């Protein structure tokens, strides 16, 4: 039978949902519900919000009088951590598993909702005893271990905000985030396991704390057991604190205003230092809860695995908050996908009976490289739905994921969103006919378009700027301590439309095909990095006078960083120096930011106003036409 989305058949390579998925989907239909969600978004979101608990109801769903500073659920009081834990502990879910965890060495831990609630309450009391108050920002720099989830929820519970720094970041990246947030408390670990080796988190944290002395107390989780430096009066072991009488398991959630700060997450932008994206309790809660429920079609019996890192927005929204808001059972894994062998993931899917797997194209490509024999050795029949995020997925990887992992039974949710959007924006539902490489259609209440320089919609099939045409509950509220930058970055080009920074095409069926970043953001293995950060790390080395970084296509990583360096007078270029500079970037920002290679040059192409023409460097590296070079200085 021919199935259609609109009245006409879809064009291109289309994969229809299997009947057993379609017949039991949480959302049975898209078109009508989508239309209704746009006709009256406030009613749509109020209905969703009512599924969660509020200490005091909101007076107004959306206040747009100070656009682009939007406020959602105005006057409402709630607490996202309350909705994640205490709300379930009152019900039969008390004894349901909230979190199952496996460490890279193979050790395991699991927490029921009751057990997780206790740990969070205890750690919340520990934070209080360290003087952390409502409105403070706690920095968290941990490996992928349960304490990461516990620490984040403990902050939210007492009304403190968290600033999680990805455990793969290094000294300068951590130091500047601590500085911007003015954190007094840092939570870290004696190390984490990755590919059988220890990541020296505490050592990096010590160096960062030396650069930014705002930290008064550092709480250290014992993960590896290795000997580390502990500074008396500043550093405390997590276990010791959790054993003290102050760590009582009773700590009711603080009632928070819907618009109170929940967290800051730093992300790379077009220029300068990373920006602190601000998310709040109310709208973020309603939106992440709803998107996960509808898109990954959560059922009580699911075993859901989002294989991202909690240090990125994917982990904040879809490892920590949304699954717990939905009362789901999540799985979390500490280490590398191919350690000790390339079947690690497939073995865990079989062992834990994972039903939903959400990962990134780069991981899929990386595992695909080892061949079909590794997954084929395992029983993956528990899988029901698959997901991908972070960058456009190439149809080849999509098809491998679909056939070899999903056995052509599991629809793939290609979710397009950003740190700034808080949750899925363009995404299929399990009932959506899929086209490999397209994130398909906007989520409910979300209106997107592809426009030209003037903000006019471009014809179907043409490339243009991807914009979002109305506010949504989980949108960022501002850039921390920099409202001007918020306005400039997201709302200056098209006024009332949110500028995503991505380019895209819309096909004749209304499907969106995201092409990639149009700004100086590089997506390396799905990780977001700014050319400015890499360049400033390079010039912080005494040998370098000037530097430029660009992203070039890479088979596994999507994009790889290529850097150009102008050396200071008297410094001789050499392979050894190039290696030293790569390591320097790794030490300052993190291993993911290490340039693939560094080319020594005498000068960089610049505009007459002195801006580096990265576009030109990229065109030259790819042997493409140089385009308009009229602004190039002599
Ligand atoms: C950028 C945002 C949101 C979770 C992780 C990334 C790219 C993200 C997709 C997708 C094509 C995608 C965009 C976006 N991106 N998902 N499904 N298809 N591109 O968050 O680090 O803030 O990066 O990632 O370029 O702007 P982020």
């Amino acid at each position: 039978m021919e199935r259609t989305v609109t009245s006409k058949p879809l064009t291109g390579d289309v994969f229809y949902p299997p009947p057993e998925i379609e017949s039991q989907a949480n959302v049975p239909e898209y078109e009508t519900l989508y239309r209704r969600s746009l006709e009256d978004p406030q009613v749509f979101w109020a209905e969703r919000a009512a599924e969660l608990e509020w200490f005091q109801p909101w007076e107004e769903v959306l206040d747009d009088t100070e656009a682009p500073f939007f406020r959602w659920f105005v006057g409402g009081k709630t607490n996202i951590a309350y909705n994640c834990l205490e709300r379930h502990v009152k019900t039969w879910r008390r004894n349901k598993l909230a979190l199952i965890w496996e460490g890279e060495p193979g050790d395991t831990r699991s927490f029921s909702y009751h057990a997780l609630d206790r740990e969070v309450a205890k750690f919340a009391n520990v934070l209080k005893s360290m003087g952390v108050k409502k409105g403070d920002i706690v920095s968290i720099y941990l490996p992928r271990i349960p304490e990461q989830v516990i620490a984040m929820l403990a902050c939210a519970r007492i009304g403190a905000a968290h600033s999680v720094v990805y455990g793969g970041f290094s000294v300068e990246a951590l130091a500047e985030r601590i500085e911007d947030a003015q954190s007094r408390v840092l939570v870290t670990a004696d190390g984490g396991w990755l590919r059988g080796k220890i990541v020296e988190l505490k050592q990096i944290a010590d160096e960062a704390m030396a650069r930014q002395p705002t930290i008064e107390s550092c709480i250290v989780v014992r993960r590896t057991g290795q000997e580390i430096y502990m500074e008396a009066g500043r550093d405390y072991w997590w276990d010791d604190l959790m054993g003290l009488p102050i760590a009582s398991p009773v700590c009711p959630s603080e009632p928070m205003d819907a618009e109170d700060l929940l967290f800051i997450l730093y992300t790379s932008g077009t220029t300068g230092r990373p920006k602190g994206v601000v998310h709040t309790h109310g709208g973020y809660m309603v939106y992440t809860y709803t998107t996960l429920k509808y898109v990954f079609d959560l059922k009580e019996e699911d075993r859901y695995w989002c294989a991202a890192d909690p240090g990125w927005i994917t982990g904040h929204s879809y490892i920590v908050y949304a699954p717990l808001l939905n009362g789901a059972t999540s799985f979390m894994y500490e280490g590398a996908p191919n350690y000790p062998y390339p079947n690690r993931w497939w073995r865990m899917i079989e062992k834990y009976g994972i039903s939903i797997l959400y990962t990134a194209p780069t991981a899929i490509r990386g595992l695909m490289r080892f061949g079909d024999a590794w997954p084929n050795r395992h029983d993956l029949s528990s899988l029901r739905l698959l997901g991908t995020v972070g960058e456009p997925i190439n149809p080849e990887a999509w098809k491998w994921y679909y056939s070899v992992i999903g056995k052509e039974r599991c629809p793939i949710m290609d979710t397009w969103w950003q740190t700034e959007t808080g949750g899925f924006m363009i995404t299929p539902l399990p009932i959506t006919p899929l086209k490999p490489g397209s994130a398909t259609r906007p989520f409910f209440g979300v209106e997107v378009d592809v426009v030209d320089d003037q903000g006019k919609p471009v014809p179907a099939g043409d490339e243009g700027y991807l914009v979002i045409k109305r506010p949504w509950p989980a949108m960022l509220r501002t850039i921390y301590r920099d409202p001007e930058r918020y306005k400039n970055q997201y709302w200056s080009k098209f006024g009332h439309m949110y500028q995503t920074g991505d380019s895209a095409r819309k096909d004749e069926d209304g499907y969106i095909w995201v092409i990639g970043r149009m700004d100086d953001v590089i997506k390396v293995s799905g990780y977001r990095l700014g050319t400015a950060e890499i360049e400033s790390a390079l010039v912080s080395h005494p040998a370098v006078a000037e530097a430029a970084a660009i992203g070039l296509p890479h088979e596994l990583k999507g994009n790889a960083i290529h850097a150009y360096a102008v050396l200071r007078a008297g410094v001789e270029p050499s392979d050894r120096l190039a290696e030293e500079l790569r390591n320097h970037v790794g030490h300052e920002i993190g291993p993911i930011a290490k340039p693939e290679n560094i080319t020594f040059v005498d000068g960089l192409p610049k505009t007459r106003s002195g801006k580096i023409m990265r576009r030109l460097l990229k065109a030259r590296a790819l042997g493409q036409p140089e385009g308009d070079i009229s602004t190039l200085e002599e």
Side-chain angles (χ1 to χ4, degrees), residues 314 389-392 414-419 502 517 523 528:
T314 313
V389 63
E391 58 177 319
D414 181 348
T415 60
W416 178 91
W417 57 297
Q418 309 179 300
T419 307
D502 280 5
R517 300 292 308 190
K523 282 275 176 161
R528 178 163 160 182

Side-chain angles (χ1 to χ4, degrees), residues 540-613:
S540 75
H541 189 282
V544 180
E546 269 190 299
I550 58 169
L552 294 178
H554 184 277
E555 212 183 316
L556 284 180
K557 301 178 181 175
N559 294 286
I561 300 164
H562 291 251
Y564 299 83
V566 180
L567 296 176
R568 284 183 190 281
V571 182
E572 284 302 311
S574 68
D575 288 349
R576 241 184 74 197
L577 179 60
E579 191 52 25
E580 188 181 320
L581 293 177
R582 290 183 63 246
N583 289 333
H584 177 71
V585 176
H587 181 259
E588 292 296 306
I589 308 179
I592 44 165
K594 272 190 185 181
E596 204 74 0
N597 63 49
I598 297 182
T599 310
F600 296 112
V601 289
D602 295 331
L604 295 168
K606 288 189 195 151
T607 61
R608 273 178 229 113
S609 57
K611 279 204 236 148
I612 298 170
M613 293 181 78

Side-chain angles (χ1 to χ4, degrees), residues 109 155 214 226 233-234 304 313 460 506 596 617:
R109 288 161 78 188
C155 290
T214 63
Q226 66 164 337
R234 185 194 70 183
Y304 161 86
I313 191 69
K506 196 197 240 184
E596 204 74 0
L617 284 170

